[in-house]
């Protein structure tokens, strides 16, 4: 998962020091904007990279991005997150119509607003929105969970 995430960050032109030999990578901030006009980001089967990075690219990216993965990733749901981003005004779509990657994003930032998402499938959708929230424009976002939050211990962390 980490290798896919690091490769995606490199494609987003995020500056980092990674000699490949040690277990330490230093990632430098990008001042809230990815310096990439758009990119296809391949994340293998790394759901913990796909979901948060999809929201982060919507918030900090500018341009056309495709978030994709291997055949197994294309079976893993992300529609709840995409629906939440769309509620906030993001132009996002699961291109195969399955509710799974690939996800096409026309990234222009995430405007302030309210989003209502399901908590019944995965806490990763909520986590992704929470991680992207500081990058939002304006007064930020308000997140409402519309049903049971199944992964409450992860959210409490």
């Amino acid at each position: 998962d980490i290798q896919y995430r690091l490769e995606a960050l490199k494609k987003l032109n995020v500056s980092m020091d990674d000699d490949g030999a040690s277990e330490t990578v230093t990632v430098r901030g990008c001042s809230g904007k990815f310096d990439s006009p758009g990119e296809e980001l391949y994340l293998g089967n790394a759901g913990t990279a796909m979901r948060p990075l999809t929201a982060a690219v919507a918030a900090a990216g500018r341009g056309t991005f495709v978030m994709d993965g291997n055949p197994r990733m294309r079976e893993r749901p992300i529609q709840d997150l995409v629906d939440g981003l769309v509620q906030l005004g993001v132009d996002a779509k699961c291109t195969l119509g399955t509710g799974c990657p690939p996800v096409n994003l026309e990234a222009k930032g995430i405007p302030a607003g309210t989003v209502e998402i399901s908590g019944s499938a995965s806490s990763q959708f909520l986590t992704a929105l929470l991680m992207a929230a500081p990058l939002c424009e304006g007064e930020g976002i308000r997140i409402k969970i519309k049903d049971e939050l199944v992964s409450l211990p992860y959210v409490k962390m």
Side-chain angles (χ1 to χ4, degrees), residues 108-119:
K108 299 175 194 150
I110 298 178
T114 299
V115 59
E116 190 172 309
I117 63 168
S118 173

Side-chain angles (χ1 to χ4, degrees), residues 80-135:
D80 287 339
L81 174 58
V82 170
D83 289 345
L85 292 170
V86 168
Q87 288 175 51
L88 291 167
V90 175
D91 184 356
K93 177 180 173 180
C94 294
T95 59
L96 298 179
T98 61
C100 302
V103 176
N104 189 76
L105 292 168
E106 295 296 331
K108 299 175 194 150
I110 298 178
T114 299
V115 59
E116 190 172 309
I117 63 168
S118 173
S120 64
S122 172
S123 63
Q124 288 182 11
F125 306 133
L126 173 59
T127 298
L129 289 170
L130 289 170
M131 291 174 76
L135 300 171

Side-chain angles (χ1 to χ4, degrees), residues 22-144:
S22 68
E23 294 182 6
T24 302
V25 177
T26 302
V27 179
R28 290 182 193 76
C30 60
S31 300
K33 301 280 186 249
F34 292 129
D35 182 25
S36 172
E39 195 66 62
E40 182 166 331
L41 301 176
Y42 180 82
L43 296 163
N45 191 30
T48 58
M50 175 68 74
R51 282 120 177 197
L53 200 51
T54 296
V57 165
R62 298 296 181 268
T64 301
F65 293 85
V66 177
M67 313 296 291
D68 203 0
N70 67 17
R72 176 65 184 111
M73 177 58 80
R74 288 184 169 197
E75 298 173 350
R76 298 179 67 183
I78 196 168
Q79 190 67 55
D80 287 339
L81 174 58
V82 170
D83 289 345
L85 292 170
V86 168
Q87 288 175 51
L88 291 167
V90 175
D91 184 356
K93 177 180 173 180
C94 294
T95 59
L96 298 179
T98 61
C100 302
V103 176
N104 189 76
L105 292 168
E106 295 296 331
K108 299 175 194 150
I110 298 178
T114 299
V115 59
E116 190 172 309
I117 63 168
S118 173
S120 64
S122 172
S123 63
Q124 288 182 11
F125 306 133
L126 173 59
T127 298
L129 289 170
L130 289 170
M131 291 174 76
L135 300 171
C136 229
E137 299 167 4
E139 295 295 315
I141 62 174
R142 180 181 172 144
I143 304 168
K144 295 181 182 179

Side-chain angles (χ1 to χ4, degrees), residues 137-156:
E137 299 167 4
E139 295 295 315
I141 62 174
R142 180 181 172 144
I143 304 168
K144 295 181 182 179
I145 305 300
K146 62 184 176 183
D147 51 20
E148 180 185 3
L149 189 56
V150 295
S151 301
L152 187 58
Y154 290 107
V155 175
K156 285 185 174 183

